[in-house]
Amino acid sequence: MRNVAGGAFLGFATVVMIFLILNVGANAITVSNVTNATPMATTVWVLWNVSSEANNTVEYSINSDLSDALFSSWDNNTNTPRVKIWNLQPNTSYYYRVWSYNATNESDYVNSSIYNFTTQECVSYKLVNVTDTSITGIDHPIQEAIDMICPSGGIVHLKSGTYVIDDSILLYDNMIFEGDNWTTVIKLEDYVDWPLDKVFITNANNAAPPGNTNITLQNFKIDGNRANQFHGGGSGWYNVIVFGRLNGGLITNLWIINATNDGIRLREGCENITVSNNKMEYLGHAAIRIRDTNYITVYNNTGHDLGNSGLRISLCQNSNFYNNTFYNTSDAGIQLGGYSGHPLSNNNFYNNVLYHGAWGIWFSWIEENGAQNNSFYNNIIYDHNWEGIYIHGAKNTRFINNVIYDIKAVYGTGDGIHLTNLAWDGT
């Protein structure tokens, strides 16, 4: 009996082993219901189902055999992937298939049959009304209008009314995005549960080459609906406008209100951008934040009731900041700082009015020769609780004809100008 039982067990084990061997490398994962939403002129959504949680991408080409194919971005760790393909040519037939890789075993993967779609003809002008509905069933009508603009550029105009959205707005090259002045309101939906640093409005290639060129935002209001967002664990902390790797741009006549983080942020690679005549209020961080940029012009902006500073700037060169007014700031009216390897140089700050905050101008640098040849003149600074101007390390810095008064020693020294750690010839 013992031998019979042992033989039976060995037989069962052999069958299991053979099954496992035959299954090694086999495509156990499957896909189904592959489809695409209504194509726009330059984008399309592809959707499908996977039999288990997977990492997913789309292979696509203008050739029916998928030669010279490109791949989309990935939608990972899901069994209901939705992938958007960008930068398509208008009025063009495309062929595609989907790929899904088992999220826990990449040797287990599958691809689909080949499908096709044709993009729509593009337009150079698109009017959006507040009553418009989604064509794709995925994007909001504003983004769908943007996705209909020709690659050579054009205008998207939002008529008066309040547009409630729950996802980012992505802009492309040579585009004007505008409203009917402040009667056009773009408002964030209640409790969208965005991750940390989600962006409200941005350029499509803000974080990677080649970037974008010549984008204009003008004549509308943005309501971040701050009171009705989540604020725990990084959820719901979003920036309103973020441009990166943008060469040539204008942000003008916007009213930005009730956001949880920065109002306008210009990040790495931005050049030749003008920010003018905007109003920013009740923001969780800075009104305008600038980093690693060149040839920026910021003028005639106002900001108040800010959780950080009016202007927060680092790693910026050859730029001008003038005729701005910032008040009721938790930190400085103008805050300047930086770190090793990136210069803050050849900038001019003049004719600004800074009042009722911690500092008027806070200027701190931690690298020798990192901040050079910056000028501050004809600024009016008053009613601050630490110092009017605080400088910690700078070289060839000029302060000329600034008016400083009513500085209180509530927390700091109460000095009009406070200089410290000037080992690098700050003047």
Side-chain angles (χ1 to χ4, degrees):
M1 293 294 291
R2 188 177 302 158
N3 289 336
V4 172
F9 175 78
L10 288 174
F12 174 77
T14 301
V15 171
V16 171
M17 183 61 70
I18 291 171
F19 176 79
L20 290 174
I21 290 172
L22 290 175
N23 232 16
V24 171
N27 293 336
I29 194 171
T30 60
V31 298
S32 60
N33 302 324
V34 179
T35 188
N36 57 266
T38 301
M40 298 292 101
T42 61
T43 64
V44 68
W45 282 97
V46 177
L47 307 87
W48 67 101
N49 298 114
V50 192
S51 57
S52 61
E53 190 170 90
N55 298 333
N56 310 280
T57 186
V58 180
E59 181 185 16
Y60 63 100
S61 173
I62 60 173
N63 302 314
S64 59
D65 62 354
L66 291 184
S67 56
D68 300 319
L70 300 172
F71 283 85
S72 72
S73 59
W74 291 77
D75 188 10
N76 291 339
N77 302 311
T78 179
N79 62 356
T80 55
R82 299 192 311 178
V83 173
K84 190 171 187 179
I85 306 175
W86 306 83
N87 300 317
L88 301 175
Q89 290 301 308
N91 196 26
T92 302
S93 293
Y94 284 88
Y95 300 85
Y96 72 93
R97 64 184 168 196
V98 303
W99 292 77
S100 294
Y101 293 78
N102 190 318
T104 59
N105 176 16
E106 287 195 354
S107 65
D108 177 15
Y109 66 91
V110 65
N111 56 45
S112 72
S113 301
I114 296 176
Y115 302 85
N116 67 83
F117 62 84
T118 300
T119 53
Q120 299 186 51
E121 191 68 65
C122 67
V123 297
S124 60
Y125 178 86
K126 191 71 174 174
L127 181 67
V128 183
N129 291 288
V130 74
T131 56
D132 290 347
T133 58
S134 173
I135 297 170
T136 64
I138 301 173
D139 283 323
H140 49 74
I142 294 175
Q143 188 63 54
E144 291 173 348
I146 293 167
D147 292 349
M148 290 298 296
I149 297 296
C150 294
S152 59
I155 299 172
V156 172
H157 186 99
L158 309 185
K159 292 292 291 180
S160 294
T162 299
Y163 300 78
V164 179
I165 67 170
D166 63 357
D167 206 353
S168 301
I169 296 171
L170 274 68
L171 304 173
Y172 309 113
D173 291 345
N174 306 309
M175 180 171 290
I176 297 174
F177 183 65
E178 65 181 13
D180 282 339
N181 215 320
W182 293 344
T183 57
T184 297
V185 182
I186 304 174
K187 183 177 181 180
L188 187 61
E189 188 176 275
D190 290 352
Y191 304 111
V192 293
D193 198 20
W194 276 358
L196 180 66
D197 281 342
K198 176 83 172 186
V199 180
F200 205 119
I201 300 176
T202 188
N203 56 312
N205 296 322
N206 83 83
N212 292 99
T213 58
N214 300 323
I215 294 176
T216 294
L217 299 180
Q218 61 186 15
N219 305 331
F220 57 91
K221 178 181 179 181
I222 302 172
D223 184 350
N225 193 16
R226 178 179 178 179
N228 294 315
Q229 303 303 320
F230 297 103
H231 302 301
S235 180
W237 292 102
Y238 56 88
N239 301 297
V240 176
I241 297 169
V242 176
F243 284 158
R245 296 186 181 274
L246 175 63
N247 190 345
L250 173 64
I251 304 173
T252 188
N253 196 37
L254 304 185
W255 181 7
I256 302 173
I257 187 171
N258 296 331
T260 62
N261 212 347
D262 297 325
I264 298 171
R265 180 185 290 190
L266 305 181
R267 49 169 293 186
E268 293 88 338
C270 283
E271 293 192 342
N272 304 304
I273 297 175
T274 297
V275 180
S276 66
N277 299 298
N278 302 291
K279 180 167 73 169
M280 292 149 285
E281 55 189 6
Y282 306 108
L283 306 181
H285 205 247
I288 302 172
R289 188 172 182 178
I290 297 173
R291 175 185 173 186
D292 213 356
T293 59
N294 206 356
Y295 300 109
I296 306 297
T297 302
V298 177
Y299 70 93
N300 286 356
N301 301 283
T302 63
H304 66 87
D305 292 277
L306 308 171
N308 187 257
S309 302
L311 282 171
R312 179 166 177 160
I313 303 170
S314 60
L315 326 179
C316 178
Q317 302 181 77
N318 306 307
S319 297
N320 293 288
F321 306 87
Y322 60 93
N323 292 354
N324 302 288
T325 299
F326 298 111
Y327 61 96
N328 289 353
T329 57
S330 294
D331 287 349
I334 298 176
Q335 180 176 342
L336 304 159
Y339 56 85
S340 177
H342 299 267
L344 178 77
S345 60
N346 302 310
N347 301 298
N348 297 299
F349 302 83
Y350 58 95
N351 295 343
N352 300 290
V353 178
L354 314 170
Y355 65 95
H356 196 56
W359 299 272
I361 297 172
W362 186 92
F363 192 177
S364 181
W365 200 262
I366 64 173
E367 181 201 27
E368 184 172 356
N369 299 326
Q372 299 187 64
N373 303 316
N374 297 288
S375 296
F376 300 79
Y377 54 93
N378 297 337
N379 299 290
I380 299 174
I381 300 168
Y382 66 96
D383 190 23
H384 292 284
N385 292 328
W386 291 70
E387 291 88 21
I389 298 174
Y390 174 91
I391 308 173
H392 178 94
K395 187 172 184 178
N396 297 331
T397 303
R398 292 170 294 277
F399 290 86
I400 304 169
N401 293 332
N402 298 285
V403 176
I404 304 171
Y405 64 95
D406 194 19
I407 306 302
K408 308 173 182 67
V410 176
Y411 304 107
T413 64
D415 295 337
I417 300 177
H418 184 87
L419 310 178
T420 181
N421 243 29
L422 296 183
W424 309 310
D425 302 324
T427 59

